[in-house]
Amino acid sequence: MLETVKYLIGSRGPSGYGSKSTAEQVTDRRDLRSITAIITGATSGIGAETARVLAKRGARLVLPARSLKAAEDAKARIASECPGSEIVVMALDLSSLTSIRNFVAEFESLDLPLNLLINNAGKYAHNHAISEDGIEMTFATNYLGHFLLTKLLLNKMVETADATGVQGRIVNVSSTIHGWFSGDIIHHLGLITRDKSQYDATRAYALSKLANVLHTKELARRLKQMEANVTANCVHPGIVRTRLTREREGFVTDLVFFLASKLLKTIPQAAATTCYVATHLRLANASGKYFSDCNEASTSKLGSSSHEASRLWSASEIMVSGDPKAAFRPLHPSH
């Protein structure tokens, strides 16, 4: 109850920021002119605001998107507010492992440094679908694509950090909804990949967001083991306020909408935690952590499991290696 009250009034935590802080506020006076950042899902919503604010602070941006037109429009919006900003638009479909490999090859050909990778893109798929690689679409887009993208860009990030002395940062955007999933991750993924009748959109989304949390945990452990000057952290941005359709008038409806408006965030508020974790000097060397409302928070019990993080990593390596369904075979010998 106390946490809810703190959230509603925007009470500031140990970081000096809280639920009402905006992306501009948490990056105030930050000079990012030496920083190159890749931000997925930056054509709308939280990703677009993250990109705008980082560009405003001087960062060079690489905006990968499935729709080049949407990315060009995002670039034009940022450029109109931040003349002189350097923004590179590139094609990327996160649900396609081939597209990810092509994107990384193209990015490497530009010979740019890479200080910051923000894995922000996400989708909520109401209907069951399978990616071209044979994986359930929500998991493929929200988690597996980012797993491969990060894996392929890691050497570039380590090299950049070594050459510049500036610590690299990887930020995975998850959600508090990761706590809604319980059970065996790999088994359930295999189930919803094979059997459409087992698909529940919310559970699939929660599974993908839990995978983001576990990815962060295991990635941070591996970076530390490598003694790389790169950190990996995870964020819950908050639930964004949208134009809710009001079909009925009345006191109860008004009350519900009033309460909802207090619980939901504006897009500038929702982008704050990502921008804080990506840029704030206070977070030097912080790695493997989960943040909400610009402060460190706790994950679900499953999200804190080193065993599950290691197990998911191993399965993910198999999934991106050319035969994704092989990851499910040990669990289901008959398939």
Side-chain angles (χ1 to χ4, degrees), residues 155-174:
N155 280 345
K156 172 63 77 175
M157 294 197 73
V158 172
E159 286 169 12
T160 301
D162 287 346
T164 62
V166 177
Q167 191 168 68
R169 295 189 185 187
I170 298 164
V171 182
N172 287 332
V173 178
S174 179

Side-chain angles (χ1 to χ4, degrees), residues 46-82:
I46 296 168
E49 176 67 0
T50 301
R52 182 189 73 82
V53 171
L54 295 190
K56 189 170 184 177
R57 304 299 179 227
R60 176 200 283 133
L61 303 182
V62 177
L63 305 184
R66 228 170 13 155
S67 164
L68 284 176
K69 184 187 183 307
E72 288 290 356
D73 289 347
K75 176 180 175 176
R77 286 194 301 271
I78 295 169
S80 69
E81 185 182 338
C82 314

Side-chain angles (χ1 to χ4, degrees), residues 168-196:
R169 295 189 185 187
I170 298 164
V171 182
N172 287 332
V173 178
S174 179
S175 168
T176 192
I177 289 168
H178 80 269
W180 294 10
F181 183 88
S182 59
D184 187 310
I185 299 168
I186 311 301
H187 173 77
H188 188 69
L189 176 62
L191 201 62
I192 61 175
T193 292
R194 285 192 316 274
D195 187 351
K196 182 179 179 178

Side-chain angles (χ1 to χ4, degrees), residues 16-162:
Y17 303 110
S19 63
K20 305 298 184 195
S21 300
T22 66
E24 288 204 20
Q25 287 168 347
V26 303
T27 58
D28 190 36
R29 292 194 290 275
R30 288 291 288 127
D31 183 352
L32 303 179
R33 282 176 294 182
S34 64
I35 300 298
T36 298
I38 292 177
I39 309 169
T40 67
T43 58
S44 64
I46 296 168
E49 176 67 0
T50 301
R52 182 189 73 82
V53 171
L54 295 190
K56 189 170 184 177
R57 304 299 179 227
R60 176 200 283 133
L61 303 182
V62 177
L63 305 184
R66 228 170 13 155
S67 164
L68 284 176
K69 184 187 183 307
E72 288 290 356
D73 289 347
K75 176 180 175 176
R77 286 194 301 271
I78 295 169
S80 69
E81 185 182 338
C82 314
S85 54
E86 191 177 343
I87 303 168
V88 180
V89 165
M90 296 172 69
L92 173 64
D93 178 353
L94 279 163
S95 72
S96 162
L97 300 179
T98 299
S99 175
I100 294 162
R101 290 189 172 97
N102 290 342
F103 165 80
V104 172
E106 191 182 344
F107 174 74
E108 287 179 341
S109 74
L110 298 176
D111 202 28
L112 293 172
L114 182 58
N115 308 92
L116 186 53
L117 173 60
I118 300 179
N119 291 320
N120 165 82
K123 71 181 292 178
Y124 180 96
H126 290 279
N127 299 315
H128 181 267
I130 299 294
S131 74
E132 66 181 46
D133 302 291
I135 297 290
E136 187 278 315
M137 188 63 86
T138 307
F139 187 88
T141 305
N142 294 0
Y143 165 71
L144 193 64
H146 284 127
F147 173 84
L148 180 60
L149 181 67
T150 304
K151 174 184 165 76
L152 297 179
L153 290 171
L154 205 53
N155 280 345
K156 172 63 77 175
M157 294 197 73
V158 172
E159 286 169 12
T160 301
D162 287 346

Side-chain angles (χ1 to χ4, degrees), residues 2 37 44 50 73 97 218 226 229 237 300 332:
L2 180 61
S44 64
T50 301
D73 289 347
L97 300 179
E218 179 64 10
M226 290 165 58
N229 189 22
S300 68
H332 307 280

